[in-house]
Amino acid sequence: MSSFTINSRTSDSVDILELTGELDAHTASHLEDALKVLIDTNRHKIVVNFTQLAYISSAGLGVFMAYIEDVRALGGDIKLTNMSDKVYNVFDLLGFPTLYDILDTEEEALVKFTS
Amino acid sequence: MLVSASTSQIAEVRDFVGHHAEAYGFSAEDVHDIKLAVDEAYTNVIKHAYKFDDTKKVQVKILTGEKEFTISLSDEGVAFDPSAYTEPNVAERIMLRKRGGVGVYLIHKLMDHVEYRNEGTHNEILMSKKR
């Protein structure tokens, strides 16, 4: 069975979600729940760190598709960081790099949120 | 392999296909692409052909030729109509807060040849990659 965990941290007003494992149609609801909790509690500055994410399918990308507009409308953003080449290529195939802020490191994302 | 149409089986299906793709001699990158294409096709069967009825079954077969590796997924659910398919506009889907709808596009991007067959209640997708 697909294994997937989320570790949540905060850095000042920014929430960081560290993803580990495989994000697919079986595990995407877990990420969706975590994002919903943040949005529902008015936490709109979100960094998703992909360092430990080994795999993503379109079901995983779909979660970001569903929530990015809501978060941006509230003055926040979902910034995506530390992707492996394998994971980045899936985002790239769908044209995400022009639609999302995809950064090399979590630190870059935190700087952009605080500057 | 014959598996239940359940998202709990996706990793098993990916691993089954990935194991055969590796043994066929594909690079790690190609093995990843093949596993992703099969994941997308299998997920589509669960969602669209069987509408999340996990009592239904999906047959996954590997067909290997000298130059081409093919994965076949068969189901007895609602048939996919490839003639009704159009390339998704991801930016527009995001604006409309619509998730997904990009699996078929990915399958075609990742594989060299994709074919759909439909005979009565039997549907089959064949996805091939050259080595």
Side-chain angles (χ1 to χ4, degrees), chain A residues 24-69:
Chain A
D24 59 20
H26 191 63
T27 58
S29 61
H30 187 173
L31 174 63
E32 179 161 6
D33 291 345
L35 282 176
K36 266 193 210 161
V37 166
L38 293 178
I39 295 164
D40 290 348
T41 51
N42 291 317
R43 306 281 303 181
H44 306 130
K45 293 178 181 174
I46 302 165
V47 174
V48 182
N49 185 322
F50 286 74
T51 304
Q52 300 296 325
L53 193 81
Y55 175 85
I56 190 164
S57 73
S58 74
L61 271 71
V63 178
F64 298 108
M65 292 172 71
Y67 289 99
I68 191 77
E69 283 297 313

Side-chain angles (χ1 to χ4, degrees), chain A residues 6 10 18 20 22 25 33 35 39-40 42 45 54 60-61 68 71 77 84 90 105 111-112 115:
Chain A
I6 302 173
T10 56
E18 290 176 347
T20 299
E22 300 166 309
D33 291 345
L35 282 176
I39 295 164
D40 290 348
N42 291 317
K45 293 178 181 174
L61 271 71
I68 191 77
V71 169
D77 197 12
S84 65
V90 184
T105 66
V111 167
K112 286 183 99 167
S115 61

